[in-house]
Amino acid sequence: MHIAGKRALVLGASRGVGLAVARMLAGQGLQLILPWFDWPESVSVLEEEFGGTQGGHLLMRVDLRQADEVAGLMIAIDGSFGGLDILINNIERGGMPILHGDYEREVNSGQWQLEIDTTLHAKWMVFTQALPLLRRNPEAVVVNVSSIAGIIGRSGPAGLLFNDGYAAANRGVASLTETWARLGAPSIRVNEIMLGLIDSRHGPGTRGWALLTEHQRHDLLRHTLLQRTGTPEEVAQAVLFLIRDADFLTGTVLRIDGGYILGGEYPAEMPEGVL
């Protein structure tokens, strides 16, 4: 897919992975739509890099959990750009057990629903309302961004970082990816990037990681085959691959976890046998 000049809606672009993706795509000559809502300290960076008229990007405050605000975003995209070619569905809110503790704590009132609404329902609303814009094109791309929490839940060393609601929501994303790939074919490719421990997401640079003991961090890295965390820039490279180079790929999950899912269990030494 030739991507220069394409129009891309990038969710979560004010921080971490989303910001790295926005920078990558801007460098490839795409026009970006970058909704933001909270994290005001991060929004200033977004506005400094992508605001103004020079880049031709659209920044807009939108609560992506609200259907009417998502509808307003699509109207703005259509009015400003006349359509949409790419959706990077990167929105989530995850509670870390090491940070938030149990859902029954008073301070966590509404936390479960927040994780479901943001990580799963908002993705569904954005895709559903973006679909008419995407359908106008002979080729369009959707990339859902999810987490290995959908596979492992609150278990093993990463159970300190992945809470139940967040894990359940990410399990649901896989179902949406497959449904949307069928729905969008043949003109819309829909794939998913499933993330492990990524800096600024569930690795260094988060409050939860800072709360872990040295031993707990060691256990997480030892469980990861490559024995390190990933970077937002590595995720952005994978997003670029799915958009630009993966024309025969749809309904697929690309796992970027450094081998975390495969860690913890290693092949046993081959026995000598008795024959």
Side-chain angles (χ1 to χ4, degrees):
M1 178 180 180
H2 180 72
I3 64 173
K6 298 290 187 181
R7 303 151 296 184
L9 171 57
V10 182
L11 309 187
S14 65
R15 308 173 73 232
V17 167
L19 181 57
V21 170
R23 287 168 173 164
M24 173 70 71
L25 297 184
Q28 296 289 322
L30 278 77
Q31 293 179 296
L32 304 180
I33 302 97
L34 307 173
W36 58 272
F37 181 63
D38 47 14
W39 308 105
E41 69 281 2
S42 301
V43 171
S44 60
V45 176
L46 190 69
E47 291 177 334
E48 183 177 342
E49 284 199 40
F50 300 98
T53 58
Q54 184 174 359
H57 308 303
L58 172 64
L59 277 66
M60 186 173 173
R61 188 179 191 275
V62 184
D63 185 348
L64 297 171
R65 298 167 299 173
Q66 305 300 324
D68 58 337
E69 295 199 29
V70 174
L73 172 63
M74 299 309 159
I75 292 171
I77 292 172
D78 200 16
S80 297
F81 298 104
L84 184 67
D85 305 291
I86 298 163
L87 166 60
I88 309 301
N89 217 347
N90 173 53
I91 178 172
E92 68 162 21
R93 185 62 60 88
M96 295 185 178
I98 189 70
L99 177 64
H100 293 86
D102 193 275
Y103 286 116
E104 298 301 319
R105 299 178 65 212
E106 184 176 352
V107 70
N108 289 332
S109 175
Q111 178 66 30
W112 170 281
Q113 197 61 46
L114 177 63
E115 293 170 13
I116 298 292
D117 287 346
T118 307
T119 308
L120 183 63
H121 190 217
K123 282 188 177 73
W124 175 83
M125 281 199 297
V126 171
F127 172 83
T128 301
Q129 299 208 38
L131 188 56
L133 300 180
L134 295 167
R135 283 197 186 280
R136 295 179 189 172
N137 307 309
E139 54 178 0
V141 179
V142 176
V143 178
N144 289 330
V145 181
S146 69
S147 167
I148 61 170
I151 295 177
I152 63 175
R154 189 165 49 85
S155 67
L160 295 170
L161 302 177
F162 300 146
N163 221 339
D164 294 334
Y166 178 73
N170 276 286
R171 178 69 67 95
V173 173
S175 175
L176 294 181
T177 297
E178 294 178 357
T179 297
W180 296 348
R182 295 183 177 103
L183 185 64
S187 61
I188 305 173
R189 292 187 291 111
V190 182
N191 292 293
E192 179 179 338
I193 288 182
M194 181 181 289
L195 303 181
L197 305 178
I198 305 296
D199 299 348
S200 80
R201 199 173 182 104
H202 286 103
T206 64
R207 288 189 294 167
W209 188 269
L211 291 171
L212 297 172
T213 67
E214 199 63 37
H215 178 73
Q216 289 166 336
R217 292 178 196 156
H218 173 75
D219 283 348
L220 284 163
L221 296 179
R222 186 167 57 87
H223 200 286
T224 304
L225 295 183
L226 298 184
Q227 297 187 6
R228 67 174 178 88
T229 55
T231 68
E233 290 72 27
E234 288 173 317
V235 179
Q237 286 286 353
V239 170
L240 181 61
F241 163 74
L242 289 177
I243 294 172
R244 186 185 63 188
D245 304 319
D247 288 344
F248 198 57
L249 206 65
T250 195
T252 296
V253 178
L254 179 61
R255 198 170 69 228
I256 304 178
D257 69 341
Y260 183 92
I261 292 297
L262 300 179
E265 298 290 341
Y266 292 87
E269 184 177 347
M270 184 64 71
E272 294 182 6
V274 296
L275 294 180

